[in-house]
Amino acid sequence: MRVLTLPNDARPNPNSLLAAAGQEGRGRLKVFLGAAPGVGKTFAMLSGARRLGQAHLDVVVGVAETHGRVETEALLAGLEILPRRNVAYKGTQLSEFDLDGALARRPALLIVDELAHTNADDCRHPKRYLDVEELLNAGIDVWTAVNIQHLESLSDVVSRITGIVVRETVPDTVIDRADEVVVVDVTPAELITRLSEGRIYLPLNAARAANAFFKPGNLTALRELALRRTADRVDDQMVDHLRQNAIEGAWPTAERILVCVGSDPSSERVVRSASRLANGLNAAWIAVTLEKSGHEITDAVALRRVDEAMRLAERLGAETARLAGPDLPEEILRYARRENITQIVIGRSSPTVWARVRGRSLSGMLVRRASDIAIHIVVGERIAKPARRWSWPDRNTLAVGLSAAVGSVAAAVGVGMLATHYLALPNLSMIFLAAVLGCAVTLGQWPAIAAAILSFLAYNFFFIQPLFTFSVATPYEFFALMIFLLVGVVTGGLAGRVRDQSDAARARVRTIQALYDVSRKLSATVSIEDVLWVLVRQTAAAIRGQVVMLLREREGLEAGELTITAAFPPEDSLQPSEWAAARWAFSRTEVAGWRTGTLPNAHFQFHPIRTSSGTVGTIGISPSDRSKALSAEEERAFAALIDQGALAIERAMLVVEARNGEARAERERLQSTLLSSISHDLRTPLSAILGSATSLRDYGSRMEQADRDDLVLTIEEEARRLTRFVANLLDMTRVESGTLALRRDWIDVSDVIAAAVKRARKSFPSRIVETRTVAGDLAVEGDPVLFEQVLFNLLDNADKYAAPGTPTIIAAKAEGGQVVVTIEDEGRGIPPADLERVFEKFMRLGAGDGRPAGTGLGLAIAKGVIEAMGGTIRAESPRLTGHGTLIRIALPVAEPSAAIPLAVEEEQALAGLALHPRR
């Protein structure tokens, strides 16, 4: 401890304030900590709850284990007790705490006894302390009880003190995060008296407990552990108070601890020792597991030990990481310096005899190399190694390597004898050196060393005088043999190490190449469906198993719900436990499912997919071999894939949102244009009609007949104009919705052109309209009324934009199996950039040369009708004169049929049924 004097302008610690702010909305936890069973934890807890209930606080008992004690059961009278949940387990019914019922009831205070209890398999969480954590996150205050022997970091200490292995444990972080810890304690003598009186266990169990657990020395040691652990928590609370209020006081030195986790049986003891050290120093700590490049752990038992030790470290509040490299001590120290580690905890190594001779134990090398970091070596009792079971060796075992070494040396002897029979070679050692290098390159370092020793013996036996003995006649031959042995061992070792490093490099290259391929594919993918498919396929290949992707619905009635969007192999359904794990991972942004502390019975392990805009979904993985955890390489590849996939998903979603935004902006622009157009085009004829009608009403009796006729004609023309405008709006609506009633009749284009020109001359008589029809088959199949309306709209459009006195030419001819109709004017023309856009809705090029511009619907309606009839329409501008516009319509020639053509006049009589059915 060091005393820190704060300056006058000292401010509260920001991290402490943020931590306090993070508790807002979270329930308060009060833990009744007992030194041993029977001290009265449940009694004290229920007594306090009863007092609060009498003070009209909403108190509910979720779980209270009275163990048949009458005085404890009496405290439950008058308190609301939450019904238990029955769970089937191995043919029996178990009564478990109803977590969902408690969340639905949502009391102000909930009593949950037996914090270290293990739940049945079908429960959402495997341990009750996880149920309590969910209740606290929901804003419910919880009171609970636990004995000191159930704390994870102290379970091994309690086992050594009492000789009893504690199976059910809770992480120390539960106590560390508790808002209040109450120690319930009695003297060992009083506790033994309670035991003898049958107030703790039944008489038979009491006698057994008195001879094993309830010994004065054991109880005294447990009392000390409980008091020390509570004192540590009180000290933490005092430090938090000092930091939050900027009060001068005693501050603990900032320490960071690193614990090295291996595959030996003592790993859990090392982790617990590091946890106790970190708690005593009030320090953050990190647990790392180590793998040497090219020597990954493959034994299932060793992998399980590493996995269990790492999960234990997580439960005790440590961060976890995986390290791999050719030089483990240097890798550990490099990581420790990067993470500002002040102390390293490691178990005592059990090196081989050769490693001891070279001083190559991991703990010893750390002690020698760490000049600025304290090293703690945990020493425990030796654990007897299990008897080795011999089995047929695979290619990676020493037996296979030795066999290969013997075979290569035998081949070298054969080659040497054959060479000496035909050639006079001064030195055959190169042949044996080649055998050594062959073993090194193919099988690694130790087979190469074995081949070097065998080559030394064989070379001496078969090729050094005297032959077929291990004696050496001359000193220089002995010296040459020793040099050969040294060169063979060193060369073989180096070549084997190079081979191991090249294998590790190839593995890293494969991983990097896979990540590069995924990155390249994702960068070239735009749609979210393609992104998800690439991600699930590559992830399934990386973990060698199944992958399922669930994303949040963004639209519809179930917006916010998770749905299966991609899977490999394809999968469209999940079990209820897997859905629950996926929703938990999504809502809590933490890993859930297989090999986790939440719903571990689920088939998949679900990881949240986090982006800068929040959690968008989850990805579930299930390796082919579910009996062991992912290797370090697989975990790194999977983590990188999730990160890249999250970026790609976010990018694809942003693209979709950008497109939707553009569509919304375009829709708003069209709506604004429509409103302005409607307001203008309705106001103009209505103003003329209203003005003419008002003039007739006020001054009609005093007007000349010709003036009255002009006003009536104006009303009639403006009404027709208004009728055309409304008809265009209705037609455009039907074209877009696909409900336009298009009739399929045989029609003569010449007749339709004649009817459209007659109607145009009547509507705008000042415009010269010329017709040029080439003789030939001008029959098409379509709707004559709508086709006439299209031609009239085009003639009307030409009249608006052509200068007065200039002609409009409409022509028709047969051309290559099509009937081509053109409407040409001599107006100012259309800019080349707008030739395609003129057929869009509400597209106008400003006021016309002849009349005001219309609504911009005429060409859009024409395009919709012509395409519905199977034709095409396009605009060409300017013409040969340097100005003017030509609209070209091409329709397929009608096939001969028995249909009887109707006269155009008859078709016009049916116009109301085709275009305006409400009339």
Side-chain angles (χ1 to χ4, degrees):
M1 302 286 284
R2 63 185 175 89
V3 177
L4 178 65
T5 303
L6 298 176
N8 296 330
D9 59 345
R11 294 176 295 175
N13 185 280
N15 294 329
S16 299
L17 293 179
L18 289 174
Q23 298 296 319
E24 294 294 332
R26 177 182 168 91
R28 293 179 60 82
L29 175 63
K30 184 175 183 178
V31 178
F32 290 81
L33 182 63
V39 296
K41 305 180 304 298
T42 305
F43 186 90
M45 182 170 59
L46 292 178
S47 298
R50 187 178 179 85
R51 288 192 298 271
L52 293 178
Q54 293 173 351
H56 306 292
L57 183 69
D58 184 18
V59 180
V60 174
V61 178
V63 179
E65 300 293 348
T66 63
H67 300 287
R69 299 162 190 160
V70 178
E71 62 274 14
T72 305
E73 291 179 350
L75 295 174
L76 294 173
L79 292 175
E80 179 183 349
I81 301 177
L82 191 71
R84 298 281 189 98
R85 172 172 170 259
N86 293 325
V87 178
Y89 179 74
K90 295 183 179 180
T92 62
Q93 291 291 325
L94 300 179
S95 180
E96 291 287 354
F97 169 57
D98 188 1
L99 175 59
D100 292 324
L103 292 171
R105 173 62 178 79
R106 199 175 181 82
L109 175 62
L110 186 67
I111 306 300
V112 182
D113 201 2
E114 300 289 344
L115 184 63
H117 173 74
T118 300
N119 294 330
D121 291 342
D122 289 341
C123 295
R124 180 152 69 238
H125 302 296
K127 301 288 289 185
R128 185 167 291 169
Y129 73 85
L130 295 172
D131 296 340
V132 170
E133 184 67 22
E134 186 172 352
L135 292 169
L136 295 172
N137 290 331
I140 302 174
D141 292 349
V142 178
W143 285 9
T144 187
V146 68
N147 286 327
I148 191 63
Q149 70 262 26
H150 293 295
L151 291 187
E152 187 71 67
S153 65
L154 299 175
S155 60
D156 59 335
V157 177
V158 173
S159 298
R160 290 198 298 271
I161 293 173
T162 63
I164 296 175
V165 178
V166 180
R167 301 294 182 186
E168 293 184 328
T169 59
V170 298
D172 289 42
T173 52
V174 175
I175 302 297
D176 295 335
R177 290 198 294 262
D179 298 279
E180 188 176 354
V181 178
V182 178
V183 178
V184 183
D185 184 28
V186 296
T187 63
E190 183 178 352
L191 189 58
I192 293 174
T193 301
R194 290 185 183 183
L195 180 67
S196 62
E197 294 175 352
R199 296 167 60 186
I200 300 178
Y201 298 126
L202 295 175
L204 181 60
N205 294 333
R208 188 182 303 114
N211 294 327
F213 191 88
F214 287 83
K215 295 179 179 179
N218 293 349
L219 298 178
T220 301
L222 294 176
R223 290 183 71 196
E224 182 180 2
L225 289 176
L227 293 173
R228 286 182 177 274
R229 190 64 184 83
T230 307
D232 292 339
R233 178 58 189 140
V234 172
D235 182 67
D236 292 341
Q237 290 177 326
M238 177 57 66
V239 169
D240 291 338
H241 175 73
L242 294 174
R243 288 174 173 172
Q244 293 170 13
N245 295 276
I247 301 173
E248 297 182 6
W251 296 72
T253 304
E255 297 280 351
R256 285 180 63 82
I257 297 173
L258 179 72
V259 56
C260 301
V261 177
S263 59
D264 53 291
S266 62
S267 294
E268 291 191 3
R269 180 184 299 108
V270 175
V271 169
R272 290 192 174 94
S273 298
S275 175
R276 289 194 295 271
L277 178 62
N279 290 331
L281 296 175
N282 198 25
W285 59 299
I286 304 173
V288 298
T289 181
L290 314 169
E291 287 186 0
K292 190 173 183 179
S293 299
H295 296 80
E296 284 77 11
I297 302 174
T298 57
D299 182 58
V301 176
L303 284 172
R304 186 170 62 252
R305 286 174 184 160
V306 172
D307 185 48
E308 290 175 352
M310 295 297 283
R311 283 191 289 167
L312 172 62
E314 288 181 348
R315 291 199 304 269
L316 293 175
E319 300 177 23
T320 58
R322 293 181 181 268
L323 302 180
D327 190 348
L328 290 183
E330 187 61 32
E331 192 69 27
I332 293 171
L333 293 175
R334 185 184 300 115
Y335 181 82
R337 294 186 180 99
R338 185 171 68 246
E339 295 295 327
N340 195 27
I341 298 297
T342 59
Q343 301 185 43
I344 296 177
V345 179
I346 188 171
R348 183 173 59 182
S349 305
S350 298
T352 60
V353 176
W354 177 242
R356 287 195 187 98
V357 172
R358 296 189 301 162
R360 299 281 293 178
S361 68
L362 180 59
S363 55
M365 286 189 289
L366 280 177
V367 170
R368 285 194 298 271
R369 298 187 189 183
S371 58
D372 53 351
I373 301 176
I375 307 295
H376 297 265
I377 300 178
V378 178
V379 179
E381 62 270 15
R382 295 185 178 274
I383 300 176
K385 294 183 178 180
R388 184 181 297 275
R389 293 181 296 177
W390 294 98
S391 59
W392 186 260
D394 57 21
R395 60 172 290 135
N396 294 321
T397 60
L398 184 61
V400 172
L402 185 60
S403 300
V406 171
S408 61
V409 172
V413 170
V415 172
M417 287 186 172
L418 187 64
T420 55
H421 182 73
Y422 294 101
L423 300 173
L425 297 178
N427 195 343
L428 296 175
S429 60
M430 295 298 103
I431 299 176
F432 290 95
L433 191 58
V436 174
L437 293 178
C439 289
V441 172
T442 56
L443 294 175
Q445 181 178 2
W446 292 110
I449 294 175
I453 297 173
L454 291 175
S455 296
F456 167 77
L457 298 175
Y459 186 37
N460 183 17
F461 189 80
F462 291 102
F463 300 102
I464 300 297
Q465 294 293 336
L467 299 179
F468 309 115
T469 65
F470 289 105
S471 61
V472 180
T474 59
Y476 75 88
E477 292 285 1
F478 177 78
F479 181 73
L481 277 176
M482 292 296 103
I483 295 298
F484 170 78
L485 177 61
L486 179 62
V487 171
V489 170
V490 173
T491 305
L494 291 177
R497 183 175 300 178
V498 169
R499 180 248 186 193
D500 294 339
Q501 292 177 352
S502 65
D503 290 344
R506 279 195 296 269
R508 287 194 295 270
V509 167
R510 285 195 299 269
T511 302
I512 294 172
Q513 182 64 40
L515 294 177
Y516 170 75
D517 293 339
V518 173
S519 177
R520 183 169 51 83
K521 292 177 182 178
L522 291 178
S523 63
T525 304
V526 178
S527 69
I528 192 166
E529 291 80 9
D530 295 338
V531 168
L532 297 180
W533 181 246
V534 170
L535 187 59
V536 296
R537 288 204 61 178
Q538 296 296 331
T539 305
I543 68 168
R544 302 177 181 89
Q546 294 177 275
V547 176
V548 61
M549 179 79 70
L550 297 92
L551 292 187
R552 178 183 58 190
E553 284 287 341
R554 291 180 172 266
E555 298 178 355
L557 297 177
E558 297 182 355
E561 282 293 320
L562 291 176
T563 57
I564 300 176
T565 52
F568 190 85
E571 181 69 49
D572 58 359
S573 63
L574 293 175
Q575 297 297 322
S577 61
E578 292 160 1
W579 276 111
R583 293 189 180 101
W584 182 272
F586 174 75
S587 61
R588 302 301 178 90
T589 63
E590 62 184 36
V591 183
W594 169 71
R595 299 185 77 87
T596 68
T598 303
L599 298 166
N601 294 320
H603 186 73
F604 288 89
Q605 183 184 93
F606 290 93
H607 295 250
I609 302 175
R610 290 186 287 264
T611 65
S612 59
S613 58
T615 305
V616 298
T618 62
I619 180 171
I621 60 172
S622 178
S624 56
D625 186 2
R626 301 179 70 250
S627 63
K628 60 182 181 181
L630 298 178
S631 66
E633 179 182 349
E634 291 172 339
E635 279 197 355
R636 287 192 293 269
F638 176 59
L641 285 173
I642 288 183
D643 293 339
Q644 291 190 6
L647 292 175
I649 291 172
E650 184 176 26
R651 187 186 68 245
M653 288 183 172
L654 289 176
V655 170
V656 173
E657 291 179 0
R659 290 175 178 173
N660 293 337
E662 293 177 357
R664 286 193 298 269
E666 179 66 15
R667 186 164 57 248
E668 291 174 358
R669 186 187 67 81
L670 291 178
Q671 290 174 351
S672 176
T673 305
L674 176 61
L675 290 176
S676 63
S677 175
I678 290 176
S679 63
H680 176 272
D681 290 305
L682 286 179
R683 188 186 305 113
T684 301
L686 288 176
S687 298
I689 292 171
L690 181 61
S692 299
T694 303
S695 298
L696 285 174
R697 184 191 62 189
D698 296 339
Y699 308 105
S701 59
R702 291 175 289 182
M703 284 183 175
E704 298 292 335
Q705 183 62 37
D707 295 334
R708 289 198 299 269
D709 291 342
D710 288 340
L711 291 176
V712 171
L713 181 61
T714 300
I715 292 174
E716 183 181 358
E717 290 177 349
E718 295 300 330
R720 287 198 187 101
R721 180 182 173 189
L722 189 60
T723 300
R724 290 197 304 270
F725 172 69
V726 174
N728 282 341
L729 285 177
L730 292 175
D731 291 343
M732 192 69 249
T733 303
R734 291 169 183 164
V735 168
E736 286 194 330
S737 62
T739 60
L740 182 65
L742 186 67
R743 299 172 60 186
R744 291 288 182 180
D745 290 327
W746 182 91
I747 57 178
D748 190 338
V749 173
S750 300
D751 294 339
V752 177
I753 290 176
V757 170
K758 180 180 179 181
R759 182 178 170 190
R761 287 170 177 168
K762 184 178 179 180
S763 298
F764 28 91
S766 62
R767 176 64 57 190
I768 301 173
V769 180
E770 300 178 3
T771 304
R772 298 176 184 175
T773 304
V774 179
D777 186 7
L778 300 180
V780 298
E781 185 180 2
D783 192 317
V785 176
L786 292 179
F787 188 35
E788 179 194 338
Q789 182 67 35
V790 167
L791 297 180
F792 178 78
N793 284 348
L794 296 176
L795 292 172
D796 182 45
N797 200 62
D799 179 64
K800 292 175 184 176
Y801 290 97
T806 58
T808 299
I809 302 173
I810 181 169
K813 63 179 179 179
E815 181 182 291
Q818 291 181 321
V819 175
V820 178
V821 180
T822 59
I823 295 93
E824 185 175 2
D825 63 62
E826 296 183 7
R828 65 175 181 266
I830 302 173
D834 294 330
L835 287 176
E836 294 295 331
R837 298 180 59 236
V838 293
F839 294 100
E840 297 178 0
K841 294 183 298 181
F842 309 114
M843 179 61 187
R844 296 184 296 186
L845 299 177
D849 296 331
R851 294 183 288 126
T855 60
L857 293 176
L859 291 180
I861 294 173
K863 181 179 176 65
V865 172
I866 294 301
E867 290 181 349
M869 293 173 60
T872 60
I873 182 172
R874 72 170 188 266
E876 299 177 2
S877 181
R879 304 298 295 155
L880 296 176
T881 58
H883 58 276
T885 302
L886 182 140
I887 304 296
R888 185 179 189 276
I889 299 173
L891 292 169
V893 175
E895 296 292 334
S897 65
I900 300 176
L902 297 176
V904 174
E905 289 78 7
E906 293 175 329
E907 292 290 350
Q908 289 176 337
L910 298 175
L913 297 178
L915 278 177
H916 313 295
R918 292 193 178 185
R919 298 181 185 176

